[in-house]
Amino acid sequence: MSRDRSALGAFLRSRRDRLTPSQAGIEAFPGARRVPGLRREELAVPAGLSPDYYSRLEQGRQANISTEVLDALARALRLDEVERAHLHDLAAPTARHRTASPQAAQRPDPGLLRLMRTLDHVPVLLLGHRGEVLARNNLLTAVLGRQLEPGTSFVRFMFQDPAARERIVNWADFASATVATMRREIARRPYDGLLTTLVDELRVTDRDVARWWDDHTVRDYASVTKRVEHPAAGPMSFDIEIVRAPHEPDQRLVVYTTEPDSPTARVLPILASWDAAPRP
C-alpha cells in the first residue's frame, strides 16, 4: 500500500467513526455494532458505492479514484471545505506530487515584507510552508520572548521551546491547530522530505503531537485568538490574522491584531519603547 493510499484509508476511517447513522441520514443496519460510528456498508449507501468498492478504498486497494466518487464520499461523510480538499489531495495521483521541488529554499516575498514594515505597531511574523521563519519584527520578539531569527522553525518553537508553553496561555488550542495545519500541508506535499521528517520527529518526541495527529483533524491556516502572559507587560490578547500574496500562496504573513484602545493595544507601544531603548 502506498503512503498516499494508507493516509487516505486512515482519514476515511476517522471520518466514518465520528458519524452516526442518524447523522448520515440513514437507518442503522441490524446487528451488534463494533464500531463507534458508521459501518463500511452503511457509509456505502449514502455515497452511492458498493460495499466492496468502498472497502477497497479504505484498505488502499483502489489505485484510481474519480472526482465524482470523492465528492460523493465528502457529502456522505459531511466533510467541510478543508476536509474535502484534504480528501482530494490524499487521493491525487502520486505523479502529480512528484513534479514539485519542495526542498528549494524560500525567499521572503517583497510585497509581504513591505506590508510587515508598515505594521510595526503590532507583532508580525512571515512564515514559509514548513513553518520556517522568513522574517519577523521586533514586537513579535518582545511579545514571545525569543529572537526567532529567519531560518528557524516556528513549529519547533511551539513544541520544543518551554517559553511557548509558558507565555502562550491557550497553548493547547494554538498547538493543536498547528498540528492540524501540518497534516493539511503534508497531504499537499507528501514528497517534501523535510516536512515529513519534522512531523515524524515531533510525533515521536511529543505526546501531544502524537495524540492530535492520530485524530486526523485537518484545518487550513485561519484566524485564531492567542492569549499571552508577558512577564513584564502582563496578560495580552491578540486576534491572529493570516495574509497571503496571490502569487506566493506558500508564504503567510501572521499579524497579531488588537482591539483599539484595549489593554494590549495600550501596552504594545511601551514594549516597543523598551526594545528601542539603548542597552549598556
Side-chain angles (χ1 to χ4, degrees):
M1 188 188 303
S2 73
R3 179 185 180 89
D4 286 350
R5 294 300 177 256
S6 175
L8 173 64
F11 181 66
L12 287 172
R13 284 191 299 276
S14 71
R15 302 305 88 176
R16 176 169 61 84
D17 284 345
R18 71 175 185 176
L19 198 64
T20 65
S22 61
Q23 290 170 332
I26 64 171
E27 291 290 333
F29 285 17
R33 306 193 67 82
R34 292 187 293 271
V35 294
L38 290 175
R39 298 166 175 168
R40 289 177 180 172
E41 58 271 22
E42 288 173 333
L43 177 58
V45 172
L49 307 174
S50 72
D52 179 66
Y53 182 84
Y54 178 75
S55 293
R56 292 203 305 273
L57 291 178
E58 203 170 279
Q59 294 168 1
R61 296 187 290 113
Q62 184 65 34
N64 299 311
I65 310 168
S66 71
T67 299
E68 291 76 16
V69 166
L70 294 172
D71 288 340
L73 285 169
R75 288 191 297 270
L77 289 167
R78 304 293 198 266
L79 302 186
D80 61 28
E81 291 185 8
V82 175
E83 291 171 324
R84 180 186 294 264
H86 184 66
L87 177 66
H88 279 263
D89 281 337
L90 291 175
T94 56
R96 190 194 77 175
H97 297 293
R98 290 186 185 276
T99 60
S101 54
Q103 310 299 333
Q106 288 184 289
R107 295 184 178 181
D109 175 70
L112 292 177
L113 284 178
R114 288 193 297 271
L115 180 57
M116 184 178 73
R117 285 193 287 269
T118 67
L119 297 171
D120 60 356
H121 60 290
V122 293
V124 184
L125 177 68
L126 180 58
L127 293 177
H129 73 262
R130 299 186 199 97
E132 295 118 331
V133 176
L134 301 180
R136 88 284 183 271
N137 64 9
N138 290 336
L139 260 182
L140 189 283
T141 297
V143 167
L144 295 185
R146 288 293 184 267
Q147 287 298 319
L148 295 174
E149 296 289 354
T152 59
S153 170
F154 190 76
V155 174
R156 291 189 184 280
F157 162 73
M158 282 294 299
F159 293 104
Q160 297 179 340
D161 191 328
R165 286 176 168 86
E166 293 168 2
R167 290 219 175 181
I168 303 173
V169 177
N170 59 332
W171 177 88
D173 295 338
F174 207 77
S176 62
T178 300
V179 173
T181 55
M182 284 198 297
R183 177 175 285 285
R184 183 76 187 94
E185 282 291 340
I186 211 167
R188 289 186 177 117
R189 311 168 188 279
Y191 294 101
D192 186 335
L194 295 177
L195 180 60
T196 300
T197 298
L198 174 61
V199 170
D200 289 345
E201 175 192 333
L202 291 175
R203 290 175 65 191
V204 169
T205 58
D206 193 299
R207 287 184 294 179
D208 289 322
V209 175
R211 174 168 53 88
W212 290 325
W213 189 265
D214 289 343
D215 72 15
H216 291 272
T217 299
V218 292
R219 62 182 294 176
D220 217 334
Y221 300 103
S223 302
V224 294
T225 298
K226 179 181 281 188
R227 300 196 306 277
V228 173
E229 184 64 37
H230 193 277
M236 311 178 77
S237 180
F238 302 94
D239 290 321
I240 308 300
E241 303 296 338
I242 308 297
V243 179
R244 281 196 180 99
H247 55 282
E248 277 291 356
D250 292 339
Q251 296 184 24
R252 60 195 187 278
L253 197 67
V254 184
V255 184
Y256 288 51
T257 67
T258 61
E259 289 293 329
D261 203 35
S262 65
T264 300
R266 291 195 296 269
V267 81
L268 282 177
I270 300 174
L271 278 182
S273 68
W274 291 346
D275 184 73
R279 293 176 174 80

